[in-house]
Amino acid sequence: MPKVDFEQKSINQLFDWFDQRCLAVPELQREFVWNAQRACSLLDSIFKGYPVGTAMIWRTGKEGTWLLRHTLHALPAFDPTQNSKIFFLIDGQQRLSVLHQVRRGETIRNSNGREIRFGDIYLSLDNSEDHFVYLRRPDEQIHFKVTSILSDRWQQSFRRLPAYKYRQIKECRQRILSYRLPFIFVETKELPDVRETFIRINTQGMRITEADKAFTVAAKVKPLDRFHHLRELLPNGYGALDKAIYWTTLVLARGIQDLGQKAFARLTKEIDRDESGRLWFQRNEPKVSESIKLACDYLVHRLHVFDFRLLPYENMIAVLAHFFYWNNRAQPNRTQHEQIRRWFWHTAVVNRYAGSGYRRNILGDAEFFKRLGQARKGRYLMTERAAADSLVNESYRGSSALSRAFQLLLALHKPRYITNGEEMPLGPVASSRNAKELHHIWPRDLLKRNGISAKRYNSLCNICYLVAHDNRSFGALHPRRYFHEFRTQRHFARSMRSHLIPHESTSLLWNENVKRGFRGLIEARRLIIQREFNKAAGGRLFEA
């Protein structure tokens, strides 16, 4: 049975621990996930004397060295030369990491890849409710770096300030350094006891996902390091890949006919308790990771999902990776590519990986792709169809699979500038004027004034790409007015076709009656978009 002690430590004492490097982050812990706003909130709570929760430390000897995490540190790495005991931080990593980093003023990235500049957290003396703020451009009269306030040389940094400001900074420093954090110290040699405690604590407080639990249970094979190494190699924002996709791909490769919590638990139990399961993971995880990389590359370069945020479903990566896993990590032949293309557009347009049928569809597609990879032939059947009015009723503001697929379809046609006919840049750009934006063909404000509802004017059928500068310059003008100066130019027809906009002289786009013109454009463009979706998929996707 573990021995449990309760103690309180001041933040000043914590800083001594940081210097001694006696704290350690175990492999079973998740990485640093907080952002700058949460860091400011923590400092504000400490400043006001509010409780910020209890931290838990597992105190053990150096026999626990094998559990050390050697990467992804936001805290000082454990130093075995200075310490005979390891203080594994089981709960409280986020809070203590903030205190360490704000003292150092370093810049790090959290698990989502977001940069946090701890040197840009300031004490604000403007009498606002928020005492701590995160700023790029501080006002030197009222904003003072917390890193400088906590420094041993703080007096030199602020000696020229007026006395009342100096007193406020001194009070801030004293409040932070004297604040006492409650700690629970657990002594045991039984890792399952610690693991269970970690999961229980985190599910009661800051919830961890089923994927996080899987990393915790499977700590013996250090999957977290493997996962982060994988994410670092992925292109075009795909480094934001969710942990659940990694585990789902492993589950599919293992042949487990389930998804989510139960599947993750079954796989990690096999890895943790069974030697054959652990050997399977060690032999096959590199193949799975390589398959995920191949799937992401394929999505970017062959299916033109140039931005991870436009991927209709993240689970598409797991299913496509399953194909590469069974295709021996080889590129698909022509027949295989045709089936992958059909699957991609069909799944996105009819929302197959959402709703009650998503498990059945994912598992069924994985089985199909296994056969396609092994036999190198097969035909993907597009049995479900989207409603005929789905494009009209779907808002561009939503994050549905259909909305994302629509943006990908527009990109597939290489949209061109209306102003000169040149191809628009769809990837990263240097100038904000060149940033790609979604634009209402019939302007929103114009339609509002004519009694058209938001549901109608935000329809996908009223949306196209424009670059930021053109979008703002066109404003709320009638289309016949903002297109007027370009209609006679040679590039105009080609540019309009690239945006799937009906532009012939008979098009209701030019009708002066706003309501009639808008309704006519929506219906005509719906038919064009449906036709192009069908062409991309190689089959009929919409009901008649």
Side-chain angles (χ1 to χ4, degrees):
M1 184 173 177
K3 177 185 176 185
V4 179
D5 292 319
F6 298 88
E7 297 181 27
Q8 285 192 333
K9 299 289 182 182
S10 71
I11 289 178
N12 206 26
Q13 289 175 301
L14 280 184
F15 288 169
D16 289 338
W17 278 1
F18 297 156
D19 293 338
Q20 294 166 17
R21 294 168 62 182
C22 61
L23 290 171
V25 179
E27 182 69 24
L28 57 81
Q29 262 279 25
R30 75 193 119 165
E31 59 273 48
F32 184 69
V33 299
W34 278 21
N35 56 27
Q37 285 67 40
R38 294 199 69 173
C40 290
S41 295
L42 174 69
L43 291 171
D44 198 65
S45 295
I46 289 172
F47 179 83
K48 293 173 181 174
Y50 295 162
V52 296
T54 302
M56 172 176 276
I57 287 178
W58 171 31
R59 192 159 43 197
T60 188
K62 289 186 179 178
E63 66 272 11
T65 303
W66 68 276
L67 281 169
L68 287 168
R69 182 198 292 167
H70 297 289
T71 58
L72 310 170
H73 288 299
L75 285 166
F78 174 75
D79 183 357
T81 64
Q82 293 190 61
N83 304 283
S84 59
K85 288 273 189 181
I86 305 176
F87 286 15
F88 276 120
L89 193 54
I90 302 303
D91 188 47
Q93 178 197 179
Q94 311 297 321
R95 288 162 283 163
L96 269 61
S97 295
V98 165
L99 293 171
H100 171 63
Q101 290 296 336
V102 81
R103 180 195 184 200
R104 296 289 299 273
E106 295 179 340
T107 297
I108 66 171
R109 292 186 181 275
N110 65 13
S111 65
N112 295 321
R114 182 171 297 176
E115 188 177 83
I116 306 170
R117 306 176 310 279
F118 283 94
D120 286 346
I121 294 179
Y122 294 85
L123 170 69
S124 176
L125 300 184
D126 65 351
N127 297 317
S128 65
E129 188 173 335
D130 295 325
H131 289 84
F132 297 90
V133 291
Y134 185 58
L135 301 170
R136 279 191 179 274
R137 296 181 178 85
D139 181 341
E140 62 181 18
Q141 298 300 314
I142 59 172
H143 298 134
F144 303 93
K145 283 183 180 284
V146 177
T147 298
S148 299
I149 294 172
L150 297 179
S151 167
D152 292 339
R153 300 168 62 85
W154 70 277
Q155 291 171 308
Q156 294 181 8
S157 299
F158 304 114
R159 67 179 185 273
R160 298 184 184 278
L161 289 179
Y164 75 97
K165 290 185 179 179
Y166 184 88
R167 285 195 300 272
Q168 287 177 288
I169 287 171
K170 181 179 180 181
E171 180 185 6
C172 172
R173 174 181 166 84
Q174 289 174 337
R175 287 192 186 192
I176 292 176
L177 293 180
S178 62
Y179 184 90
R180 299 181 72 80
L181 276 167
F183 280 85
I184 299 173
F185 288 90
V186 179
E187 290 200 37
T188 180
K189 294 184 178 180
E190 299 298 325
L191 179 60
D193 290 345
V194 180
R195 180 189 295 146
E196 180 63 23
T197 302
F198 166 72
I199 292 175
R200 284 178 179 271
I201 286 174
N202 280 279
T203 52
Q204 297 298 321
M206 182 178 173
R207 291 193 66 83
I208 62 173
T209 66
E210 298 305 325
D212 282 315
K213 289 183 185 179
F215 281 112
T216 299
V217 174
K220 289 181 180 178
V221 292
K222 298 188 180 296
L224 193 59
D225 284 349
R226 297 170 184 255
F227 171 70
H228 279 281
H229 178 67
L230 166 66
R231 291 212 305 189
E232 289 171 359
L233 301 174
L234 300 181
N236 295 48
Y238 283 72
L241 181 76
D242 192 274
K243 295 171 182 174
I245 304 305
Y246 173 80
W247 284 111
T248 298
T249 314
L250 284 163
V251 162
L252 294 176
R254 182 68 168 161
I256 298 173
Q257 292 298 303
D258 201 355
L259 297 173
Q261 176 182 355
K262 290 182 180 179
F264 295 169
R266 176 177 163 185
L267 177 60
T268 52
K269 181 179 179 180
E270 291 175 3
I271 294 170
D272 186 55
R273 301 183 183 179
D274 183 59
E275 182 64 24
S276 64
R278 191 151 53 249
L279 285 173
W280 179 90
F281 179 88
Q282 290 169 341
R283 289 171 182 166
N284 287 276
E285 192 280 339
K287 299 176 185 177
V288 167
S289 286
E290 184 63 24
S291 298
I292 292 173
K293 287 185 280 187
L294 287 165
C296 292
D297 283 343
Y298 193 87
L299 287 164
V300 171
H301 299 293
R302 297 296 303 277
L303 295 174
H304 309 291
V305 188
F306 58 92
D307 187 330
F308 178 67
R309 293 170 295 183
L310 294 180
L311 182 66
Y313 297 106
E314 274 196 71
N315 271 314
M316 282 180 153
I317 295 175
V319 175
L320 186 55
H322 194 60
F323 162 77
F324 280 103
Y325 179 83
W326 289 105
N327 203 48
N328 293 321
R329 275 72 63 207
Q331 288 299 312
N333 60 29
R334 185 174 179 178
T335 299
Q336 291 170 320
H337 172 67
E338 176 76 10
Q339 304 316 309
I340 293 171
R341 184 168 59 89
R342 288 167 62 87
W343 158 79
F344 176 82
W345 289 106
H346 179 247
T347 298
V349 168
V350 304
N351 294 319
R352 292 185 69 248
Y353 289 177
S356 59
Y358 89 96
R359 285 174 179 259
R360 178 182 67 252
N361 289 333
I362 289 174
L363 292 172
D365 290 351
E367 185 60 33
F368 167 75
F369 275 137
K370 178 179 179 180
R371 296 195 304 271
L372 186 67
Q374 288 180 320
R376 303 185 71 81
K377 61 182 180 180
R379 184 167 181 80
Y380 176 79
L381 301 177
M382 298 190 293
T383 51
E384 311 100 321
R385 291 194 172 92
D389 59 356
S390 57
L391 287 165
V392 175
N393 292 331
E394 189 70 45
S395 171
Y396 86 101
R397 290 182 176 276
S399 58
S400 70
L402 179 58
S403 176
R404 296 178 186 184
F406 168 74
Q407 294 181 58
L408 292 173
L409 184 73
L410 292 181
L412 196 64
H413 287 78
K414 300 181 179 179
R416 296 177 175 274
Y417 292 109
I418 299 297
T419 53
N420 64 12
E422 295 297 319
E423 193 173 322
M424 289 170 49
L426 293 182
V429 293
S431 171
S432 60
R433 290 164 64 90
N434 231 358
K436 168 179 54 61
E437 293 182 347
L438 293 174
H439 165 73
H440 291 80
I441 301 170
W442 282 84
R444 177 181 55 193
D445 291 342
L446 176 65
L447 296 176
K448 270 185 182 179
R449 291 198 300 266
N450 283 270
I452 306 295
S453 69
K455 181 179 179 180
R456 305 306 289 177
Y457 64 65
N458 285 331
S459 166
L460 292 180
C461 294
N462 190 38
I463 299 298
C464 70
Y465 278 140
L466 280 186
V467 294
H469 176 259
D470 293 344
N471 196 354
R472 287 189 285 272
S473 66
F474 290 167
L477 297 175
H478 190 295
R480 65 179 294 148
R481 289 187 60 193
Y482 70 75
F483 283 135
H484 176 71
E485 65 177 296
F486 311 112
R487 282 185 72 179
T488 58
Q489 297 182 18
R490 293 177 59 184
H491 70 264
F492 183 71
R494 184 180 184 186
S495 293
M496 295 293 275
R497 284 195 299 272
S498 75
H499 294 282
L500 307 181
I501 301 175
H503 60 280
E504 300 79 7
S505 59
T506 56
S507 171
L508 288 173
L509 179 69
W510 314 118
N511 195 296
E512 290 186 1
N513 184 298
V514 172
K515 289 185 177 180
R516 186 180 305 125
F518 174 69
R519 285 196 298 266
L521 173 85
I522 292 298
E523 179 57 23
R525 196 158 183 253
R526 175 184 72 85
L527 296 174
I528 292 172
I529 295 168
Q530 285 186 359
R531 182 190 69 210
E532 295 304 319
F533 264 130
N534 291 339
K535 189 184 297 183
R540 187 155 69 91
L541 299 178
F542 296 87
E543 294 173 353

